[in-house]
Amino acid sequence: QLTMSLNSSTLLNEENSEEPKGNTECLGNLELQTPSFQDNPLQQLQLASQEVLEKAKKSGRSKCPRCSSSRMFYCYTCFVPVETVPTKEIPTVKLPLKIDIIKHPNETDGKSTAVHAKLLAPDDVTIYKYPCIPEYKEKRYEIALVFPGPNSVSVNDIASHLKKYTKKSVSDSDDDCFREPFLKQAKIEPEEEKNECISSNKSEGTTLKKVIFIDSTWNQTNKIITDERLQGLLQIELKTRKTCFWRHQKGKPDTYLSTIEAIYYFLVDYHQEILKENYKGQYDNLLFFFSFMYTLIRNAKGCAGKE
């Protein structure tokens, strides 16, 4: 993210000098291809006060409290705010399910928005650096992968598709119930034991518990998405949201979202379509850093006469 001087001309020059890269959902060309900004599309968000970020911007770079590296706003390697941004002044968001972010090892840390999720929802977000990722197969009836593809479904179709995955998972895992030595299990008759296992899996499978997002340059996506550990997962695509990301990939649809946008919009849709609850801004603070940087870069472009 913005780890350079916040002087407007310097910011623009450094951004445009970068090699073309991108995020799985939206990245590619790192030119500042901000959309048409007649109005700020993020201005309706219910955000915590960003005064702490304004002060940090004026102060310039500060040290990471863990690694002592010089950073702006937060350390993108330690996932903590810098010394000029007190943790208590950063909002915390509670998510309705767990988020795993799989990051390609060659993805530039400072340009990824994935760290925003970890900073703002630390209890519910885990970032893994590929190829060190969990085994998801045994829990595939309660896990989904957000990634566009020919077999991907919309958020409002999650429930019906998870039922199919549940039935398949139960039939595939019947034998798994008997792998532990009987000495480690309660004394249950074999038929009762099997029924209990199936019943347990069915009840667990009715609810989505974890969602996976991939954080990678577009050209590096294939290696991760074809990993055998991700095969067989329900795949979800966000087709109706438009990106505000300043590194949007040139020539790609504006529905290609940055990682933090994808997480945010997925959760909003999930809240309304699956939880069937009115959305009242519960996850807006996931865009706490994103919206600030969006405005910052938009203003920088205006100052440089490039808007």
Side-chain angles (χ1 to χ4, degrees):
Q1 300 299 340
L2 299 184
T3 59
M4 67 292 285
S5 166
L6 291 178
N7 174 278
S8 60
S9 60
T10 302
L11 184 149
L12 288 169
N13 289 336
E14 292 194 21
E15 283 281 340
N16 288 322
S17 66
E18 299 289 351
E19 293 296 324
K21 283 195 175 182
N23 178 279
T24 294
E25 290 88 353
C26 78
L27 315 183
N29 193 321
L30 287 188
E31 293 179 3
L32 292 180
Q33 299 176 49
T34 30
S36 177
F37 291 126
Q38 293 182 351
D39 295 304
N40 185 340
L42 304 177
Q43 63 185 354
Q44 301 301 320
L45 295 174
Q46 299 179 43
L47 299 173
S49 172
Q50 295 176 321
E51 184 178 357
V52 62
L53 300 182
E54 288 285 357
K55 291 180 179 178
K57 180 188 71 174
K58 295 176 181 178
S59 299
R61 290 171 174 265
S62 181
K63 285 185 177 182
C64 168
R66 294 186 182 176
C67 68
S68 297
S69 297
S70 178
R71 301 281 192 252
M72 181 62 73
F73 304 130
Y74 55 80
C75 180
Y76 45 75
T77 52
C78 298
F79 310 139
V80 294
V82 294
E83 292 178 347
T84 55
V85 182
T87 302
K88 63 181 180 180
E89 296 187 41
I90 299 299
T92 300
V93 183
K94 180 62 181 174
L95 307 184
L97 36 69
K98 300 297 181 181
I99 300 290
D100 278 5
I101 301 174
I102 300 175
K103 186 175 180 298
H104 194 283
N106 293 338
E107 174 70 358
T108 305
D109 291 338
K111 298 170 186 172
S112 169
T113 61
V115 63
H116 295 183
K118 182 62 178 175
L119 283 162
L120 298 164
D123 293 337
D124 298 316
V125 175
T126 304
I127 297 179
Y128 296 95
K129 183 167 287 189
Y130 188 83
C132 298
I133 66 174
E135 294 284 348
Y136 294 109
K137 183 178 180 181
E138 293 183 2
K139 295 287 186 178
R140 64 183 181 273
Y141 52 86
E142 60 186 33
I143 299 175
L145 171 65
V146 175
F147 193 85
N151 298 318
S152 60
V153 303
S154 62
V155 173
N156 58 1
D157 289 330
I158 289 177
S160 60
H161 282 272
L162 272 182
K163 290 179 181 178
K164 299 176 184 177
Y165 277 68
T166 302
K167 293 177 182 178
K168 183 178 180 181
S169 296
V170 169
S171 62
D172 289 347
S173 61
D174 284 351
D175 293 337
D176 294 341
C177 300
F178 303 97
R179 288 181 181 175
E180 286 290 325
F182 283 105
L183 290 176
K184 294 184 179 181
Q185 299 180 355
K187 293 182 178 180
I188 305 175
E189 291 299 321
E191 188 61 33
E192 294 176 355
E193 182 179 18
K194 182 174 180 179
N195 290 337
E196 180 177 299
C197 179
I198 295 176
S199 175
S200 174
N201 278 340
K202 282 184 176 179
S203 62
E204 289 180 357
T206 57
T207 305
L208 186 64
K209 294 185 178 180
K210 180 175 291 186
V211 182
I212 304 167
F213 294 82
I214 297 176
D215 189 55
S216 167
T217 61
W218 188 255
N219 291 334
Q220 296 165 340
T221 300
N222 189 63
K223 186 173 183 179
I224 296 179
I225 197 62
T226 56
D227 189 291
E228 62 179 8
R229 290 167 291 185
L230 298 180
Q231 304 312 301
L233 295 175
L234 176 62
Q235 207 161 309
I236 300 168
E237 183 173 0
L238 306 175
K239 302 178 181 180
T240 62
R241 306 292 189 172
K242 295 183 179 181
T243 185
C244 293
F245 195 45
W246 46 92
R247 294 192 184 103
H248 178 67
Q249 185 172 350
K250 188 175 183 179
K252 294 295 183 180
D254 56 8
T255 52
Y256 280 26
L257 307 172
S258 66
T259 302
I260 192 62
E261 286 178 302
I263 293 172
Y264 168 73
Y265 285 125
F266 169 82
L267 289 171
V268 172
D269 290 347
Y270 178 82
H271 192 87
Q272 297 173 317
E273 301 292 340
I274 304 302
L275 299 184
K276 302 297 182 182
E277 297 179 12
N278 292 330
Y279 183 69
K280 300 179 180 179
Q282 291 92 330
Y283 315 122
D284 283 11
N285 274 321
L286 285 175
L287 299 180
F288 180 76
F289 291 105
F290 183 90
S291 63
F292 185 82
M293 293 176 178
Y294 167 93
T295 301
L296 191 65
I297 292 178
R298 177 192 181 197
N299 294 340
K301 283 175 64 69
C303 292
K306 296 186 178 182
E307 186 166 2

